[in-house]
Amino acid sequence: MGLSELLSTYGQDYLTALLTTWWMTAVTFAFVMVLSIAITVMRVSPLRPLRVVGDFYVQVFRNIPGVALLIIIVYALPNLRLVLDYTTCVIVTVILMGSAFGSENFMSGINTIGVGQIEAARSLGMTFGQIIWKIVIPQALRSAVLPMTNLLIAVMLSTSLGSQVPMSPDELTGIVSYINTRSTGGILAFLIAAIGYAGTAAVIAFIGNRLDKKVRILR
């Protein structure tokens, strides 16, 4: 099947798959950001049990392959009487993995904050919560723009886990599987999907670089 025939036959399916990938990426990354901040706060908490839980979370979900985690969520959760649709399973999988790496990015940003700032805040009588939300998190966010940009691209690529389950509608990799089970799309079917991923990643990187230049903390 040639390129023109492939696009004329499955062009609308590719467009739907691309929009699905974008939607999944946006929703997933929003939750990744929130959970990453929460886990990071736990890891720098003065309470040791919270630090242990935060570090344990990162070590577990940073080191489990995405496919293995997806299989656990899809097939193990129903035994706990928690049944999720396939799209939600993929999103939850990527959130769990992405937030572990996101926490590491934020920890790197926190490590760039001078100890003197924290000591000065304590001398002013600020509580741990005030120090975190008024001093630490704002600076960590600014320092982590580029790492989080890379994480956003990784989240977008990780939505391809949807090809491992019967999602509806399919994302970009899933639609390639759909096409190749019904006709001979060959390498061109993968190439079109790859262009969608690469184009999206290029736009994300461009925006991330521009944002980093505006908010970067010069030291």
Side-chain angles (χ1 to χ4, degrees), residues 5 7 12 21 49 66 70 74 82 101 108 138 141 156 161 183 192:
E5 182 182 359
L7 290 176
Q12 184 59 48
T21 297
L70 178 62
V74 170
L82 181 58
F101 287 98
S108 298
L141 285 171
M156 184 264 296
L161 286 171
S183 56
I192 295 172

Side-chain angles (χ1 to χ4, degrees), residues 137-153:
I137 295 299
Q139 293 190 63
L141 285 171
R142 294 173 66 181
S143 300
V145 169
L146 286 182
M148 296 310 284
T149 298
N150 292 332
L151 180 60
L152 176 55
I153 293 174

